[in-house]
Amino acid sequence: MTPLINLAAGQRSQEVTELAARIGWVVGLLLFIALLYWLMREGWKWRGLLQSDLPEPHAAPDALSEAKLSMTGRYHGSTTAGQWLDRIVAHGLGTRSRAELTLTDEGLAVVRPGARDFFVPADALRGARLDKGIAGKVLTEGGLLVITWQHGEKLIDSGFRSDRSAEHPAWVEALNHLNTTTEGAR
């Protein structure tokens, strides 16, 4: 039995890597991650600069008529209409947030706690549909309410998801009906 004891006593674990080399790799990795974060942030700022020709979104009027519909949920961002990956970041339109939507005869009021609110006049609304995705957010089919509106010379799609997704079809119907009634007035 002594040969087995000697054999077990002779095995040793691998020497631990030098501490300085390990610290160097960790610091290098952290610097690489910081560089990637900085590049993403610069890209976001550059996109905002390229979209600076987009006018400032409208502010909600002081007095709005009675709400036709209202909902709470999430605002997932805005894109160029028909191009679901071309995110618009100018004037805070790319910032995700909670949202309260209110549809009135004057238009659509979007109140976003922690982000810039905006208002879409009724004559700028172009329609609504149910979709499955917008830049940075993909859901099940019909899980996203996408509202198309005219802002300056640009058509914009804005994506919302209600806390109660069963509300989405009523919003699509109301916005499309409002669009057809305001088309005659244009």
Side-chain angles (χ1 to χ4, degrees), residues 40-75:
M40 287 189 296
R41 185 171 180 203
E42 289 300 306
W44 186 270
K45 287 176 14 184
W46 178 252
R47 181 175 280 275
L49 183 64
L50 291 175
Q51 297 168 347
S52 63
D53 62 333
L54 194 66
E56 187 82 24
H58 299 284
D62 292 331
L64 291 172
S65 62
E66 186 178 336
K68 293 180 176 185
L69 283 174
S70 63
M71 104 175 161
T72 59
R74 295 209 48 90
Y75 169 75

Side-chain angles (χ1 to χ4, degrees), residues 2-15:
T2 43
L4 288 176
I5 294 175
N6 288 338
L7 182 63
Q11 292 181 348
R12 292 189 177 183
S13 62
Q14 181 68 28
E15 289 292 323

